[in-house]
Amino acid sequence: MLKAFTLGAVLTGTISVIIGSQGSSGGALAIHSMALGDYKMFWSWPLFLSGSGLSWGLILLQK
């Protein structure tokens, strides 16, 4: 499950940066901007959970 969370975080970060930097919230993806000090980061919990579930399923299929 830890591998799936890592892959889900990479997927979420990539998609959130692409969609969030364009000024969109992605509708149902609920992408929001978070401030980490002087750095602005885009994140989406629904996308993270979906991406982690998809990654977990793909990892299980490889066994």
Side-chain angles (χ1 to χ4, degrees), residues 2-62:
L2 187 59
K3 282 193 233 179
F5 283 158
T6 304
L7 292 172
V10 169
L11 176 70
T12 300
T14 303
I15 293 175
S16 294
V17 165
I18 292 170
I19 294 175
S21 64
Q22 308 259 332
S24 176
S25 66
L29 295 178
I31 296 172
H32 59 276
S33 176
M34 299 187 320
L36 297 174
D38 293 336
Y39 184 69
K40 186 176 180 183
M41 181 179 154
F42 294 100
W43 191 254
S44 169
W45 284 109
L47 185 59
F48 173 71
L49 294 175
S50 300
S52 295
L54 178 65
S55 299
W56 188 41
L58 290 172
I59 290 170
L60 286 176
L61 284 174
Q62 291 179 355

